Every structure is written in structure tokens, then in C-alpha cells.
Amino acid sequence: DNSASSGKTEEDDYVKPNIICIMNESLSDLSVLGNLTTNEDYMPFMRSLTENTIKGNLYVPVIGAGTSNTEFEFLTGHTTAFLPSGSNAYMLYIKNPIASIVSTLEAQGYSSFALHPYYASGWNRTEVYNHLGFNNFVSLEDIMDISFMQEYQSNGSDPNYLQSLIDQYYPGSNMLIRQYISDSYNYRLLIEDYENRDKSVPYFAFNVTMQNHGGYTTSCVNFDESIYATSVSKNYNKANKYLSLVKASDNAFKELIDYFSSVDEPTVICMFGDHQPSVETEFISEVMGVDSLSGLTPEQEQLRHVTPFIIWANYDIQERQIDKLSVNYLYSLVLETAGVKLTEYNKYLLKLSETLPVIDTVGYIDNENNYYKWSDVSPYSHLLDEYEKIQYNNIFDRENIKSDIFYLNGYVPQATVSEESTTSEE
């Protein structure tokens, strides 16, 4: 019995809940920036979730774009703060199998499914997901006839035209909001995969949504624009569209949680936003109460890097509110919450988060709420140097990688065969 590959060892008797992690495109609560009121709450369900829930403010490395750097930090526990400024981890640094939440869960016998309802090749995901070792990757190409997208683009990229094609070929599917797969439909695909899972092993899924993607300009027949800001001096079109999209995300997340509330198998769901949206800078300035977005203090700059995170279970877990946590720590917290085995690296990160709960591209914040820029002299240099060295060992130092830090019990990661990872089982 090859215990590493089967994931079964003698002491494997702990509960392994299903683990579902969702990185929601541009999901954020812009009221963290300052005074923002709206005609109605745009995330009532997320705010109401308290039972068996850990939630808080997540600090991410990017604003308005660069989704995959947040994704890289979540999946690996590394921080892009140590990588060259402006670089993209997926495009530049994942050229071989790398330790991640995928290897940590696969070492414990979990299956792994990746879902992203847009082009598979975006941010080099086909290759990256291969190196991360996902068993299966479903993308837009598996969800709809991709020629519709080409037709849509050659028809002036009119979302209403795309919707008319979908009505014709997938009637009643409610697949889109604007020109993107809606969160609601996306979660239906996730639930479908869960229902068709291999029931002999615990289930792990990672989902990157698409609904709220930037470009908040066009009005569309398939999108109910119900929310608008009431605390600002004028009508900000993009911001209002964005806030209306967040409300649609909130509704969809409620559908997902309602479904898993009635599932008997223990299940942990983590959902977080990848970055704040790219809306009118004047709107952001007004909400923040500043004249301009240049010359912000580190505290103000950090506010623009905050998104919400939620860890919810369909069984009893200790409820907590976490004021500040950066995304490089989140997967370790998810696995700790789920009660599964942690790597030495996960344990190290959880310990580090007690001293420096936020490390991101702006700087870092300590547990006494002191803010530092990267250029500052601080008492934490040695801690940060150590973290950087450990991270360097995993990303760049393949010859001397300290496997026992990054992997469980001698597990050796394998890249999945390309054919398997890019075609779904449909």
C-alpha cells in the first residue's frame, strides 16, 4: 500500500469535511472605505451569517485587477509582496509542481476540482492548475458553446446579443448576468459537480467566479440594477452597477449556503473577494473623504486592499470575527477550521499571523495595529526575512526544497496529465 498516494495511513481516522473555496471576482464591501450608504443593503445575507461562521476583513495584494495574484497567495500561502513589483506569479513563476492547498488535501485523500466559468487559458490557468495537481478543471469551454463568445465579440460585444444566443440555445438557463456566467449559475455547476463526486473520498473544490468582472458601463436586459449609493454627491454609474452586482452575488451565495445547510456530510465553505473593483476614482475619493487618491497614508492605502472573507460550516464551529487577515494566511485558517492535517508551513503561517496579521503589497500591520510600509525600519525585519527565505525555498530553490516543511508525510506532488485537467467529464 503506497500510503502517500492513496492518502490512507493508520492514524487517518479524523473527520475530513468537504472543503469548498470560492474566490469571488471583485467582491468587496466598499463601506470599509468610509461613509457609504445605499438605498438598500447590498449584502444582507453575508452580513446576517453568524452561526458556525468565521468572518472578517481580508487584505489582498491588488486593486481593480490582477486577480491571479490573490489566487496565488490563497492557494500557496506565499505573499506576492516578496516578488518583483508588478510581476504576475502565475505567468512567471509556476513552471513546475508546487506545494499548495491542493497537495495538502490530496495527501489526505481528497479529490480536487477547479471551476472557473471563463476561458481556461486566462492567467495561464491551464498550465498552473496542471502544476497545482487539480484532478479536473472545468472552464467556460466546458459550460457553453464557445463559438457564441466569438459571435458576441464580432457583434460589437453587445451583452444583449449574447443573451439572445443563450436564450435560443439554452432556454431558461439563467446563465448570464451581463456577458458573464452569473454566480447563481456558477454555484449550480459547483453543486452538480459535488452531486456527481466520487463518494468514496472527501471532496475539495476551488472556484473562481466571473460575474462581477470589471467594465461596469453597459446596462443589460439580464441584469437588475437595484442598488445605488445615497451618501454621495452625485450619481456614479459604475459604482451603482457594481453595488447591484454585489447584491446579485449575495443572493447567489445564500442559495449555495441554503443547499449545503441541508447536506448531511460535514462541509466547510470559504468565500472571499479577490480585490475591490475599478469604479470611478471620484466615487472612491468621496467615500474615503479625501481630495485625491494620491498621497494616501498607509492606513488609507490599506483600506483599498480590503475584501470580505467568510468561512462557514454546516456543523458546529467556533464563531469568530477577525478584523484583519491577509490572504496568504487564509488557506491555513480554512484547513485549521476544518480540522484536517496541516503542513509545517501551515503551522508556521498561523503562528506568524498572530504577530503580523497582515502582510501585503502595501506593507504590513502588526497585532497592535501599527502600520508599516516596506521602506520603514521596523522591529519585524527578521520575521519577514525568515518568511521570505522559506517562501523562496518553495518557489525557486527546487534543488534544495525542504519537502517536509511544505508537504505532508512524504507526499510527492504530481502534475496532472494535461488532457485530464482541461477536459471535463461531461
Coordinates of all heavy atoms in Angstrom, one line a residue, residues 307-355:
T307 N -11.1 43.1 1.3 CA -12.4 42.5 0.8 C -12.9 41.6 2.0 O -12.2 41.4 2.9 CB -12.1 41.6 -0.4 OG1 -11.3 40.5 0.0 CG2 -11.4 42.3 -1.6
P308 N -14.1 41.1 1.8 CA -14.6 40.3 2.9 C -14.2 38.8 2.8 O -14.0 38.4 1.6 CB -16.2 40.4 2.8 CG -16.4 40.9 1.4 CD -15.1 41.4 0.8
F309 N -14.1 38.1 3.9 CA -14.0 36.6 3.8 C -14.9 36.0 4.8 O -15.3 36.6 5.8 CB -12.5 36.1 4.0 CG -12.1 36.1 5.5 CD1 -12.3 34.9 6.2 CD2 -11.5 37.2 6.1 CE1 -11.9 34.9 7.6 CE2 -11.1 37.1 7.4 CZ -11.3 36.0 8.1
I310 N -15.4 34.8 4.4 CA -16.4 34.1 5.2 C -15.9 32.6 5.2 O -15.6 32.1 4.1 CB -17.8 34.2 4.6 CG1 -18.3 35.6 4.7 CG2 -18.7 33.2 5.3 CD1 -19.6 35.8 3.9
I311 N -15.8 32.0 6.4 CA -15.6 30.6 6.5 C -16.9 30.1 7.2 O -17.1 30.5 8.4 CB -14.4 30.2 7.2 CG1 -13.1 30.7 6.6 CG2 -14.2 28.6 7.3 CD1 -11.8 30.6 7.4
W312 N -17.7 29.2 6.6 CA -18.9 28.7 7.1 C -18.9 27.2 7.1 O -18.3 26.6 6.2 CB -20.1 29.3 6.3 CG -21.4 28.7 6.6 CD1 -22.3 29.1 7.6 CD2 -22.0 27.5 6.0 NE1 -23.4 28.3 7.6 CE2 -23.3 27.3 6.6 CE3 -21.6 26.6 5.0 CZ2 -24.1 26.2 6.3 CZ3 -22.5 25.5 4.7 CH2 -23.7 25.4 5.3
A313 N -19.5 26.6 8.2 CA -19.6 25.2 8.2 C -21.0 24.8 8.4 O -21.8 25.5 9.1 CB -18.7 24.6 9.3
N314 N -21.4 23.6 7.9 CA -22.8 23.1 8.1 C -22.9 22.3 9.4 O -23.8 21.5 9.6 CB -23.3 22.4 6.9 CG -22.6 21.1 6.6 OD1 -21.6 20.8 7.3 ND2 -23.1 20.3 5.7
Y315 N -21.9 22.5 10.3 CA -21.9 21.8 11.6 C -21.2 22.8 12.6 O -20.8 23.9 12.2 CB -21.1 20.5 11.6 CG -19.6 20.7 11.1 CD1 -18.6 20.8 12.0 CD2 -19.3 20.7 9.7 CE1 -17.3 21.0 11.6 CE2 -18.0 20.8 9.3 CZ -17.0 21.0 10.2 OH -15.7 21.1 9.8
D316 N -21.1 22.4 13.9 CA -20.7 23.4 14.9 C -19.2 23.8 14.7 O -18.3 22.9 14.8 CB -20.9 22.8 16.3 CG -22.4 23.0 16.7 OD1 -23.1 23.8 16.1 OD2 -22.8 22.2 17.6
I317 N -18.9 25.0 14.5 CA -17.6 25.5 14.6 C -17.6 26.8 15.5 O -18.7 27.4 15.6 CB -16.9 25.8 13.3 CG1 -17.6 26.9 12.5 CG2 -16.7 24.6 12.4 CD1 -16.8 27.5 11.3
Q318 N -16.5 27.1 16.1 CA -16.4 28.3 16.9 C -16.6 29.6 16.1 O -15.8 29.8 15.2 CB -15.0 28.3 17.6 CG -14.8 29.4 18.7 CD -15.7 29.2 19.9 OE1 -15.8 28.1 20.5 NE2 -16.5 30.3 20.2
E319 N -17.6 30.4 16.4 CA -17.8 31.6 15.7 C -16.7 32.7 16.0 O -16.3 32.8 17.2 CB -19.1 32.2 16.0 CG -20.3 31.5 15.3 CD -21.2 30.7 16.3 OE1 -21.3 31.2 17.4 OE2 -21.7 29.7 15.9
R320 N -16.2 33.4 15.0 CA -15.2 34.4 15.3 C -15.4 35.6 14.3 O -15.8 35.3 13.2 CB -13.8 33.9 15.1 CG -13.3 33.0 16.2 CD -12.0 32.2 15.8 NE -10.9 33.1 15.6 CZ -9.8 32.7 15.0 NH1 -9.7 31.5 14.4 NH2 -8.7 33.5 14.9
Q321 N -15.0 36.7 14.7 CA -14.9 37.9 13.8 C -13.4 38.2 13.8 O -12.8 38.4 14.9 CB -15.7 39.0 14.4 CG -15.7 40.3 13.6 CD -16.6 40.3 12.4 OE1 -17.6 39.6 12.4 NE2 -16.2 41.0 11.3
I322 N -12.8 38.3 12.6 CA -11.4 38.6 12.5 C -11.2 39.9 11.8 O -11.5 40.0 10.6 CB -10.6 37.4 11.8 CG1 -10.7 36.1 12.6 CG2 -9.1 37.8 11.6 CD1 -10.1 34.9 11.9
D323 N -10.7 40.9 12.5 CA -10.7 42.3 12.0 C -9.7 42.4 10.8 O -10.0 43.1 9.8 CB -10.3 43.2 13.1 CG -10.3 44.7 12.6 OD1 -11.3 45.0 11.9 OD2 -9.3 45.4 12.9
K324 N -8.6 41.7 10.9 CA -7.6 41.8 9.9 C -6.8 40.5 9.6 O -6.3 39.9 10.6 CB -6.5 42.9 10.3 CG -7.0 44.3 10.3 CD -5.9 45.3 10.7 CE -6.3 46.7 10.7 NZ -7.3 47.0 11.7
L325 N -6.8 40.1 8.3 CA -6.0 38.9 8.0 C -5.7 39.1 6.5 O -6.5 39.5 5.7 CB -6.9 37.7 8.2 CG -6.1 36.3 8.0 CD1 -5.2 36.1 9.3 CD2 -7.0 35.2 7.8
S326 N -4.4 38.8 6.1 CA -4.1 38.9 4.7 C -4.3 37.5 4.1 O -4.3 36.5 4.7 CB -2.7 39.4 4.4 OG -1.7 38.8 5.2
V327 N -4.5 37.5 2.8 CA -4.9 36.3 2.1 C -3.9 35.2 2.1 O -4.3 34.0 2.0 CB -5.4 36.7 0.6 CG1 -4.2 37.1 -0.3 CG2 -6.2 35.5 0.0
N328 N -2.6 35.5 2.3 CA -1.6 34.4 2.3 C -1.8 33.5 3.5 O -1.3 32.4 3.5 CB -0.2 35.0 2.4 CG -0.1 36.1 3.5 OD1 -0.9 37.0 3.6 ND2 0.9 35.9 4.4
Y329 N -2.6 33.9 4.5 CA -2.8 33.1 5.7 C -4.1 32.3 5.6 O -4.4 31.4 6.4 CB -2.9 33.9 6.9 CG -1.7 34.7 7.3 CD1 -1.8 36.1 7.5 CD2 -0.5 34.1 7.6 CE1 -0.7 36.8 7.9 CE2 0.6 34.8 8.0 CZ 0.5 36.2 8.1 OH 1.6 36.9 8.5
L330 N -5.0 32.6 4.6 CA -6.4 32.2 4.7 C -6.5 30.7 4.5 O -7.3 30.0 5.2 CB -7.2 32.9 3.6 CG -8.7 32.6 3.6 CD1 -9.4 32.9 5.0 CD2 -9.4 33.5 2.5
Y331 N -5.7 30.1 3.6 CA -6.0 28.6 3.4 C -5.5 27.8 4.6 O -6.2 26.8 5.0 CB -5.3 28.1 2.1 CG -4.2 27.2 2.1 CD1 -4.3 25.9 2.7 CD2 -2.9 27.5 1.5 CE1 -3.2 25.0 2.6 CE2 -1.9 26.6 1.5 CZ -2.0 25.4 2.0 OH -1.0 24.5 2.0
S332 N -4.5 28.3 5.3 CA -4.1 27.6 6.6 C -5.2 27.7 7.6 O -5.5 26.7 8.3 CB -2.8 28.3 7.1 OG -1.8 28.2 6.2
L333 N -5.9 28.9 7.7 CA -7.0 29.1 8.6 C -8.2 28.1 8.2 O -8.9 27.6 9.1 CB -7.5 30.5 8.6 CG -8.7 30.9 9.5 CD1 -8.4 30.6 11.0 CD2 -9.1 32.3 9.3
V334 N -8.5 28.0 6.9 CA -9.5 27.1 6.4 C -9.3 25.7 6.9 O -10.2 25.0 7.4 CB -9.7 27.2 4.9 CG1 -10.7 26.2 4.4 CG2 -10.2 28.6 4.5
L335 N -8.0 25.2 6.7 CA -7.7 23.8 7.0 C -7.7 23.6 8.5 O -8.2 22.6 9.0 CB -6.4 23.4 6.4 CG -6.3 23.4 4.9 CD1 -5.0 22.7 4.4 CD2 -7.5 22.9 4.2
E336 N -7.3 24.6 9.2 CA -7.3 24.5 10.7 C -8.8 24.4 11.2 O -9.1 23.6 12.0 CB -6.6 25.7 11.3 CG -6.6 25.7 12.9 CD -6.0 26.9 13.5 OE1 -6.5 28.1 13.1 OE2 -5.2 26.8 14.4
T337 N -9.6 25.3 10.6 CA -11.1 25.3 10.9 C -11.7 23.9 10.6 O -12.5 23.4 11.4 CB -11.8 26.4 10.2 OG1 -11.1 27.6 10.4 CG2 -13.3 26.5 10.6
A338 N -11.3 23.3 9.5 CA -11.9 22.0 9.0 C -11.3 20.9 9.8 O -11.9 19.8 9.8 CB -11.5 21.8 7.5
G339 N -10.3 21.1 10.6 CA -9.7 20.0 11.5 C -8.9 19.0 10.8 O -8.8 17.9 11.2
V340 N -8.4 19.3 9.6 CA -7.6 18.3 8.9 C -6.1 18.6 9.2 O -5.8 19.5 9.9 CB -7.8 18.4 7.3 CG1 -9.3 18.0 7.0 CG2 -7.5 19.8 6.8
K341 N -5.2 17.7 8.7 CA -3.8 17.9 9.0 C -3.2 19.1 8.3 O -3.6 19.4 7.1 CB -3.1 16.7 8.5 CG -3.2 15.5 9.4 CD -2.3 14.3 8.9 CE -2.6 13.1 9.7 NZ -2.0 11.9 9.1
L342 N -2.3 19.7 9.0 CA -1.6 20.9 8.5 C -0.1 20.6 8.2 O 0.4 19.8 8.9 CB -1.6 22.1 9.5 CG -3.0 22.5 10.0 CD1 -2.9 23.6 11.1 CD2 -3.8 23.1 8.8
T343 N 0.4 21.2 7.2 CA 1.8 21.0 7.0 C 2.6 21.9 8.0 O 2.0 22.8 8.6 CB 2.2 21.5 5.5 OG1 1.9 22.9 5.5 CG2 1.5 20.8 4.5
E344 N 3.9 21.7 8.1 CA 4.7 22.6 8.9 C 4.6 24.0 8.5 O 4.6 24.9 9.3 CB 6.2 22.1 8.9 CG 6.4 20.8 9.6 CD 5.9 20.8 11.1 OE1 6.2 21.7 11.8 OE2 5.1 19.8 11.4
Y345 N 4.5 24.2 7.2 CA 4.4 25.6 6.6 C 3.1 26.2 7.1 O 3.0 27.4 7.5 CB 4.5 25.5 5.1 CG 4.6 26.9 4.4 CD1 5.5 27.8 4.9 CD2 3.8 27.2 3.3 CE1 5.6 29.1 4.3 CE2 3.9 28.4 2.7 CZ 4.8 29.4 3.2 OH 4.9 30.6 2.6
N346 N 2.0 25.4 7.0 CA 0.7 26.0 7.5 C 0.8 26.4 9.0 O 0.3 27.5 9.4 CB -0.4 24.9 7.5 CG -0.8 24.5 6.0 OD1 -1.0 23.3 5.8 ND2 -0.9 25.5 5.1
K347 N 1.4 25.6 9.8 CA 1.6 25.9 11.2 C 2.4 27.1 11.4 O 2.1 28.0 12.3 CB 2.2 24.7 12.0 CG 1.3 23.5 12.0 CD 2.0 22.3 12.6 CE 1.3 21.0 12.4 NZ 2.1 19.8 12.7
Y348 N 3.5 27.2 10.6 CA 4.4 28.4 10.7 C 3.6 29.7 10.3 O 3.7 30.7 11.0 CB 5.5 28.2 9.7 CG 6.3 29.5 9.4 CD1 7.2 30.0 10.3 CD2 6.0 30.1 8.2 CE1 7.9 31.2 10.0 CE2 6.7 31.3 7.9 CZ 7.6 31.8 8.8 OH 8.3 33.0 8.5
L349 N 2.8 29.6 9.3 CA 2.0 30.8 8.9 C 1.0 31.2 9.9 O 0.8 32.4 10.2 CB 1.3 30.5 7.5 CG 2.2 30.4 6.3 CD1 1.4 29.9 5.1 CD2 2.8 31.8 6.0
L350 N 0.3 30.2 10.5 CA -0.7 30.6 11.5 C 0.0 31.2 12.7 O -0.6 32.2 13.3 CB -1.5 29.3 12.0 CG -2.4 28.8 10.9 CD1 -2.9 27.4 11.3 CD2 -3.6 29.7 10.7
K351 N 1.2 30.8 13.1 CA 1.9 31.4 14.1 C 2.3 32.8 13.8 O 2.2 33.8 14.6 CB 3.2 30.5 14.4 CG 4.0 30.9 15.6 CD 3.6 30.1 16.8 CE 4.2 30.6 18.1 NZ 3.3 31.6 18.8
L352 N 2.8 33.0 12.5 CA 3.3 34.3 12.1 C 2.1 35.3 12.1 O 2.2 36.5 12.4 CB 3.9 34.2 10.7 CG 4.4 35.5 10.0 CD1 5.5 36.1 10.8 CD2 4.9 35.2 8.6
S353 N 0.9 34.8 11.7 CA -0.3 35.7 11.6 C -0.7 36.2 13.0 O -1.4 37.2 13.1 CB -1.5 34.9 11.0 OG -2.0 34.0 11.9
E354 N -0.2 35.6 14.1 CA -0.5 36.1 15.4 C 0.3 37.4 15.7 O -0.2 38.3 16.4 CB -0.2 35.1 16.5 CG -1.2 33.9 16.5 CD -0.7 32.7 17.4 OE1 0.2 33.0 18.3 OE2 -1.2 31.6 17.2
T355 N 1.4 37.5 15.0 CA 2.3 38.7 15.2 C 2.0 39.7 14.1 O 1.8 40.9 14.4 CB 3.8 38.4 15.2 OG1 4.0 37.3 16.2 CG2 4.6 39.6 15.5

